[in-house]
């Protein structure tokens, strides 16, 4: 897989999110809840249906967090000084995100996805390359969480996703600054490539 091309191509990201459940999700549960059975009593969609939709969305987000954990581990060997400290901090935070998502999946009765045995990252040859790759990963995560937020059936899951996307936006600003770029290039953070 050409990760660099994937991260820069919004259509590829959209396909990935769709395949991983980030774009699917709670839409079907909401549709079923809106349907009636012809009587005055609405059809109930028990918690199992909405929980399953949430689990699919959460596992898609978990896959991205596990990818980010692996990427920050991979990049650590190229980072120096303050950037190495930042990379270590971001690695720890991405792992906390993954742990929190795994717990939420278990709470919803699901099974969290496991990390892949390996990821096909592009060859990173310099600190600048590692930082740019991290920028692309953070943008991808931001776009995924923004897409997923309204699809969660539970307000606590929306709050968790909002907290994570905020952290990802903070990461993005720090990474852009490390690259000598404007850390706050726009009024709205959307996850689009810079």
């Amino acid at each position: 897989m050409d990760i660099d091309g994937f991260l820069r191509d919004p259509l590829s990201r959209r396909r990935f999110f769709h395949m991983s459940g980030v774009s699917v999700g709670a839409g079907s549960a909401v549709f079923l809840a809106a349907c009636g059975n012809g009587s005055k009593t609405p059809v109930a969609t028990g918690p199992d249906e909405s929980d399953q939709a949430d689990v699919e969305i959460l596992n898609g987000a978990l896959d991205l967090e596990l990818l980010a954990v692996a990427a920050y581990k991979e990049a650590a060997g190229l980072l120096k000084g303050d950037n190495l400290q930042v990379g270590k901090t971001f690695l720890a935070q991405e792992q906390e995100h993954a742990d929190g998502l795994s717990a939420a999946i278990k709470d919803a009765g699901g099974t969290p996805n496991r990390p892949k045995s390996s990821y096909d990252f592009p060859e990173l040859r310099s600190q600048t390359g590692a930082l740019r790759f991290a920028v692309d990963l953070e943008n991808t995560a931001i776009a995924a969480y923004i897409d997923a937020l309204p699809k969660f059936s539970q307000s606590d899951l929306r709050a968790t996703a909002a907290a994570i996307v905020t952290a990802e936006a903070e990461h993005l600003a720090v990474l852009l600054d490390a690259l000598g770029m404007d850390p706050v290039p726009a009024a709205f953070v959307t996850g689009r490539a810079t």
Side-chain angles (χ1 to χ4, degrees), residues 9 111 120 132 181 185 187:
D9 179 10
T111 302
D120 187 19
R132 286 180 192 224
M181 299 171 73

Side-chain angles (χ1 to χ4, degrees), residues 88-151:
K88 287 179 179 180
T89 299
F90 291 177
L91 169 60
Q93 290 179 357
E94 300 295 1
Q95 186 62 58
E96 286 181 53
H97 297 165
D99 293 344
L101 292 168
S102 292
I105 291 165
K106 289 176 186 174
D107 288 347
T111 302
N113 290 346
R114 300 189 48 78
K116 292 182 179 183
S117 58
S118 67
Y119 293 90
D120 187 19
F121 295 127
E123 187 175 343
L124 302 175
R125 296 186 175 133
S126 67
Q127 177 170 256
T128 299
L131 292 170
R132 286 180 192 224
F133 183 63
V135 164
D136 289 340
L137 285 173
E138 296 295 351
N139 269 315
T140 299
I142 290 166
Y145 282 106
I146 288 172
D147 186 56
L149 263 165
K151 296 176 181 171

Side-chain angles (χ1 to χ4, degrees), residues 3-14 17 131-144 146 172 176 179 181-186 188-194:
I3 295 286
D4 193 44
F6 162 78
L7 291 171
R8 295 188 190 285
D9 179 10
L11 291 176
S12 293
R13 289 195 313 249
R14 234 178 269 129
F17 298 145
L131 292 170
R132 286 180 192 224
F133 183 63
V135 164
D136 289 340
L137 285 173
E138 296 295 351
N139 269 315
T140 299
I142 290 166
I146 288 172
L172 180 60
L176 290 172
L179 285 165
M181 299 171 73
D182 183 357
V184 189
F188 296 94
V189 177
T190 62
R192 288 190 175 74
T194 55

Side-chain angles (χ1 to χ4, degrees), residues 16-17 20-23 54-69 94 97-102 105 113 140-141 144-146 148-149 152 157 160-161 164-165 168:
F16 173 77
F17 298 145
S20 67
V22 174
S23 294
D54 287 342
V55 165
E56 288 178 24
I57 298 167
L58 289 166
N59 262 321
L62 177 58
D63 288 340
L64 288 173
E65 294 297 343
L66 294 172
L67 174 75
V69 166
E94 300 295 1
H97 297 165
D99 293 344
L101 292 168
S102 292
I105 291 165
N113 290 346
T140 299
Y145 282 106
I146 288 172
L149 263 165
F152 286 116
L157 294 177
T160 298
I164 293 174
V165 77
E168 305 298 6

